Amino acid sequence: NSWTSSATKSVTTTVEFIPLDQGCRPPPPSPQTHSRNNSNSTMAASNGIEAAAQRLLSPNGAEFDVTLLDQVVAAAYNPIDPNRAVANKALMALQDTPDIWTKADAILERAQNPQSRFFGLQVLDDAIRTRWRVLPPEQREGIKNYVVGKVIQISQDENLMTTEKVFLSKLNLTLVQILKQEWPHNWPSFIPDLVGSSKTSEILCENNMQILKLLSEEVFDFSRDQMVTEKVKTMKESLNSEFSAIYYLCEFILEHSKRPSLLKVTLQTLQRFLTWIPLGFIFQTQLIDILLNRFFPEHMFRNDTLDCLTEVASLTDLEPKYDPLFRKLFSGFVAQLGNIFSPETDLTQPFENGSEEDCIFIQHLAIFLSGFLKAHLKALETSETQQSLITGLYYLVRVSEVNDVEIFRICLEAWHMLANDLYQTDNEFKRHGYGGSVLNLGNNGNNNAAASRKFMYGPVLTGVRRVMIAKMAKPEEVLIVEDENGDIVRETTKDTDVIAQYKTMRETLVYLTHLNCDDTENIMLSKLTAQVDGSEWSWNNLNTLCWAIGSISGAMTEDEEKRFLVTVIKDLLGLCENKRGKDNKAVIASNIMYVVGQYPRFLKAHWKFLKTVVNKLFEFMHEVHPGVQDMACDTFLKIATKCKRKFVTLQTDERVPFIVELVDSLPTIISDLEPHQVQAFYEAVGCMLSDKGPAVTIDRPQLLVKLMEMPNRNWKLIMEQASANMESLYEPNTIKEIIKILKTNNKTCGTIGSIYANQLQTFFLDMLNVYKVYSERISTTIAQQGAVATQLSLVRTMRSAKKEVLRLLITFIDKSGPPESDPKAVSQGFIPPVLDPILGDYHRNIPGARDPEVLTLFTTVVEKLKSQIIGDVPRIMEAVFECTLQMITANFEDFPEHRIRFYEFIRAVNSHCFQALFNIPPEHQKLVVDSVVWAMKHTERNISDTGLNILHELLLNVGKTPNIAQGFYQQYLLALIQDVFAVMTDRLHKSGFKMHATLLRHMFHLVQMNQVTIPLFDPSTATAGQTNPAFLREHISKLLISSFPNLTRSQVAKFVDGMFDVNMDLPTFKTHLRDFLIQLKEFSVEDNSGLFGEEAEAQQRQQMEAQQAYRSAVPGLLKPSEIIDDDL
């Protein structure tokens, strides 16, 4: 059985050997502690292992000592052996020996240690995968015969097959690796041989089935990354052409064998084949009948049979002629399932207490039913299968009820599909005013409601509604959860799976509500009654019910919603009053807040309920249970955003608008809130005050003064203390108080809008002085202690205060506008005092102490104030440009925040204050262009994209400014063309291909259309009559030929001609560029999908827009927070 030969040496030395994959490597060394007493013996043993390893590795032609290998392997796999690390290293070195595979037969035959045999198989596997093509034919034949012989030897003996089960499995995989290399071209008889030998022995047949199963998996499931397309295609065609022999073998076994293990493996093998075999073998044979009537009733084979039936059930895109066969399959399946359990059976207990096989069956049943319904629902909607369909759906309802998240998600897909489909059908017929039958079920021909799809599915959908409501997933807005100890706590992390499940369940329940609003309402109210009377009270029951109630917001008409919500809110408020216990109250409170936050339409229409709800939220703000206050503030903000006009206008039976009372009692309301909650509260009140519609008659400036009394009082106190003793400003508690005041102002400014200018004036100069004081102290500390000072606690706290000043200014500039803060007033009144303390500090500081918010501030200033600020841009750029550029160009990693903000600033200046770029010194102008080029070469996509966009906008602006255009082109155009070419062809920036093409087309066409009148060449050395187009054509041709030697002159000439073709639109130009890039050797073997990124993004964008349009058209699918209110 040996396959070694003299030819081996000449072959193996030329082939790189791939190391053993991680899963089969010897175990990594584990640290061991050794005592002094046994150190000598350990060293001796270690030397012995090393000596054994050296003997194994020596190429002296002596016979390979398998006994020594056993010793080394035993040490490597023994976790307490002190020589484990040495042995492991020796095995890895042995595995990397080029001709070790030639010893595999000796290892497999003579090794006593099972792990040694696996090691032998692994090196043989590696040789087959990486060297097979370079081995001489006689060696390949030798390996093949040896592996086949070994497989047959073990699988003919039942006892041997049992004891060597794991080894045989590995040996089967090795045989499949050979098949991937040899079959069908060099081993055409493999399938006939395998089928023929299977009929000689049931034991041998069992292993042959395992081989066929592995082969199918390798060819159809795992082939994509391991075999070339042509090879996969050939193997698939061979399997297809020879499948009849395999099928009839499977059929023969299923009909005649009595061996359970053989029958199970045959079913498993058949399941792998069913995904790709010709349909005739499924529908024109007795296969389905055998599976359904012989094997599915048998408990032992039920799960494997169900897997086979699931593969058949999930077949889609078939011709209508197959529909009757699917109807027959489904009806037969439901009938057989009825012999196992009825559709009324509660499966929750059998699933909880049943065997593993029973649980797997229920899971596979969910996959079968949901897959069948998604693929063939319409085919089942006939008079002869209507009852089976409804029964099957009842079974799916029962399966949906089991307490398993994965099973429920499988069922949920089917329910979402069914509810969506029924809603669309129902909506279509309503729109066309057709009240007749959707289906011709053949009953009496009458177009009455009883024949409609909605009516047919009615009883099932009631069950689905109950399941959806009972299992509703937690919405993102709910912050209060039950932990693993049964305690009610504040949620710390978001579960993205649960959020996605909630989204699907919410949509499903919205569709179900549209289909029968009364049924949904009755189920919810009966469940709520059971909570109020205590008969079904539990945290989970109340949570899921209220989450479901909140999720159908918008799905009812206003009248239905009013009737429903009045009952819900009254019952929940009553429940909160009557229940005792902090945890109980916290759960009820969270549910009240979630529900009311989801129904702004109802609250806007019913002021008394709105007022009651808001006052209840104020009560919850004093409840110190974790999460309740957070959720109360979040809900208050949500309601304030959606119902703000109700609070700032006079309502019926009220003396003054609600906001007046709110501001008067504000200190009491927020007395128990944490700082971040106080800030959310101010954000909500600011949102109310932002409403300046015609119906709003309140004195907004006066209310703003009243609102900010508390933070202003605290600020004034701090300033008075600082006047008496400047050192008080450096107290950590004082700095933290300043940060809180600034954050409160920031939140208020963010929602209240331009009127905030009145508040900012009250402490603007004080705030800038605080910024200056902290800047000077930080600079002094750094000068004394070096860069490490930036990590000191006090310095970090002062920097936080500085950042809050910057953030407040950013928000104010962004929200500024007439009448209180028009651009001219801001640029003259607020900007000049800001420049010196902020710009001077940024310029003087060490890189580690410069705040990126400074760049964001001046980006916002330029974007918002535009031409009003153009005179200050040179000063701003002088302060921030060069020092920031030095920080970010040292490498591609440091200061990522500064990097992004810097280019946003450059882009803003280029877009809004372009002239200012040429009012700065020439050396700075060059720095601007160089920085843009450096950006587009960046490996971070968002920065490279920003660089490309800036360059495009810069070129467009230059083209509109004749007095600077020609000088700019002469200095930069050639270099820019070369830089764009360099980025486009470096293979790291494929995602920017659209802008590369746009830029090149723009620059080449500028030259070709003679818009560049100044010479791009040196006139003193140029030939007479030289023109810019001719020069650029020659220049680019030379550049490409020198950069890509593999290109021919004709290829380059054709490409360059296309670049100068001014008749090419951008899509054609991009195609021209793509074709050129794919011709390059660097691109031809790569994934070039990035070159088509624009088209893929456009397609994705269209899909998202279509989905959004559909969601907007279905009342209730958009959450209230996603709807833009026209009246605000």
Side-chain angles (χ1 to χ4, degrees), residues 255-320:
E255 286 183 353
H256 297 98
S257 177
K258 304 296 183 190
R259 183 181 174 87
S261 56
L262 173 57
L263 290 169
K264 278 182 77 70
V265 75
T266 303
L267 288 169
Q268 291 164 5
T269 304
L270 197 57
Q271 185 262 332
R272 305 301 193 279
F273 286 138
L274 283 169
T275 58
W276 56 265
I277 64 173
L279 293 175
F281 287 109
I282 300 174
F283 294 112
Q284 295 170 14
T285 63
Q286 296 301 307
L287 178 62
I288 292 178
D289 186 58
I290 292 171
L291 292 173
L292 205 53
N293 298 316
R294 180 176 171 196
F295 287 96
F296 184 66
E298 296 290 337
H299 187 272
M300 184 189 303
F301 306 116
R302 187 171 294 150
N303 288 342
D304 292 320
T305 306
L306 188 50
D307 285 344
C308 293
L309 293 172
T310 301
E311 294 296 345
V312 176
S314 302
L315 293 171
T316 55
D317 301 323
L318 303 183
E319 297 173 36

Side-chain angles (χ1 to χ4, degrees), residues 347-348 351-352 399-405 407 471:
L347 296 178
T348 51
F351 186 82
E352 289 288 329
V399 173
S400 304
E401 292 168 348
V402 303
N403 189 24
D404 184 276
V405 174
I407 290 177
K471 287 181 168 283

Side-chain angles (χ1 to χ4, degrees), residues 247 403 492 496 526 555 559 615 670 770 782 848 1038 1119:
Y247 172 78
N403 189 24
T492 53
T496 51
S526 67
D559 288 341
N615 284 326
I670 66 173
V770 167
I782 289 171
K1038 286 179 180 176
K1119 295 166 83 170

Side-chain angles (χ1 to χ4, degrees), residues 121-135:
L121 264 184
Q122 183 60 51
V123 296
L124 185 57
D125 255 5
D126 287 341
I128 293 166
R129 279 190 288 109
T130 60
R131 300 158 183 254
W132 190 261
R133 296 290 177 211
V134 295
L135 293 179

Side-chain angles (χ1 to χ4, degrees), residues 593 596-597 603 610-611 613-618 621 628-644 647 658-659 662-663 666 669-670 673 677-688 707:
M593 290 186 284
V596 298
L603 295 177
L610 174 57
K611 185 179 179 183
V613 162
V614 170
N615 284 326
K616 197 67 181 176
L617 291 178
F618 293 163
M621 288 178 191
V628 173
Q629 290 170 310
D630 279 321
M631 204 165 166
C633 293
D634 289 351
T635 306
F636 180 53
L637 175 58
K638 192 184 297 182
I639 291 174
T641 305
K642 289 294 181 182
C643 308
K644 55 187 174 184
F647 298 108
F658 184 81
I659 194 167
L662 186 156
V663 170
L666 185 140
I669 296 170
I670 66 173
L673 296 179
Q677 295 160 347
V678 170
Q679 290 148 24
F681 190 93
Y682 271 83
E683 184 180 2
V685 181
C687 183
M688 294 176 185
L707 172 66

